[in-house]
Amino acid sequence: MNLTIAGLTARALLGRRRILLLLPMPVLLIGLTLLANASPAQPDEWAPIVLGQLGLGVILPLTALIVGSSVLGLEIEDGTITHILAKPVPRSEIIVAKLVVAWAVTTVTTAVPLAIAGVIADSGALGIGLALGAAVGALAYTAFFLALSLMSRRPVAIGLIYIMLWENLLVQFVSGARTLSIQQYSLTLADGLAGNTTVLNSNLSTVTAAILAAAFVAVGTAIATQRLRSFALTGETS
């Protein structure tokens, strides 16, 4: 990994106003968890909605979309990508550096609040499971959205369609769609690592979820690298 590019990416990403969009979501998650925990309802009644559907199903992918589509997408928009492409740095190193930064930022802003919410809702085991499941999901999501930012001029719009229609609608009615749902991978891994509690409702095996998540990361990284190689110094694909 190229540490110089990673450092520049982190400073640029954390210095943009877009990063402020990430702050209300962790606060919302923890706040709703505290309110639900103070109610008479049992955790297995509200936790699947707050932690699963909201935390892993909405907050995690939206955060990854904002971050993953920004680490290269904004540079393509404003033309600063040409400065990176002009340097004798392998395109694979650029992609890996961008991906690591996007993954780290997404993980910190989602896994930490999910871990806190898990502890509040049930136990430390659930908190650890949610944090690790979110970390794996963050890597798969950011690889997917990073590749999408190099494949389309409207990665955020396409990403929102994938999140809302595929991951939060189709998977409810079409069981086969779950095999291509990063949300389901995160949920399954979180449930398995937490000890298969009744708080989370997973639908895949832990091994299947881990393999498919790794496949998303590998394919997303490969596509992003190939697309970046096709960029000319004008910032357009050839």
Side-chain angles (χ1 to χ4, degrees):
M1 183 182 70
N2 191 298
L3 294 179
T4 300
I5 293 177
L8 292 172
T9 300
R11 285 195 293 272
L13 181 63
L14 297 175
R16 294 181 185 270
R17 291 183 179 180
R18 183 175 291 197
I19 200 69
L20 296 177
L21 296 174
L22 307 180
L23 299 181
M25 292 188 281
V27 175
L28 174 64
L29 176 65
I30 295 175
L32 288 175
T33 302
L34 288 170
L35 288 174
N37 193 55
S39 71
Q42 295 299 311
D44 57 0
E45 297 180 84
W46 55 263
I49 298 174
V50 176
L51 302 180
Q53 296 179 22
L54 177 63
L56 294 175
V58 177
I59 292 177
L60 172 59
L62 283 181
T63 302
L65 176 59
I66 294 171
V67 177
S69 63
S70 298
V71 288
L72 263 175
L74 295 178
E75 292 178 348
I76 294 173
E77 289 179 10
D78 60 25
T80 56
I81 187 66
T82 57
H83 299 294
I84 296 177
L85 297 179
K87 299 181 182 299
V89 180
R91 299 299 189 256
S92 58
E93 286 190 18
I94 297 174
I95 293 299
V96 170
K98 299 285 186 180
L99 177 59
V100 168
V101 172
W103 171 65
V105 172
T106 303
T107 297
V108 169
T109 53
T110 57
V112 173
L114 274 166
I116 295 172
V119 172
I120 295 172
D122 187 69
S123 63
L126 179 60
I128 293 173
L130 284 168
L132 294 177
V136 173
L139 183 57
Y141 273 124
T142 49
F144 176 61
F145 293 133
L146 174 58
L148 191 60
S149 71
L150 288 165
M151 297 171 64
S152 170
R153 293 182 182 273
R154 299 183 180 276
V156 174
I158 297 175
L160 285 173
I161 292 173
Y162 169 75
I163 293 169
M164 298 305 173
L165 293 184
W166 185 278
E167 298 226 316
N168 287 283
L169 183 61
L170 281 180
V171 295
Q172 303 297 324
F173 303 102
V174 183
S175 59
R178 294 168 186 162
T179 59
L180 292 176
S181 169
I182 298 173
Q183 174 193 349
Q184 292 298 314
Y185 310 156
S186 302
L187 185 64
T188 298
L189 291 171
D191 193 22
L193 292 168
N196 296 309
T197 68
T198 59
V199 175
L200 298 176
N201 299 317
S202 58
N203 297 288
L204 300 173
S205 72
T206 304
V207 174
T208 299
I211 293 174
L212 292 175
F216 256 87
V217 175
V219 172
T221 303
I223 291 175
T225 301
Q226 185 58 38
R227 290 291 294 176
L228 191 61
R229 284 174 180 155
S230 69
F231 267 61
L233 290 182
T234 58
E236 301 290 340
T237 54
S238 58

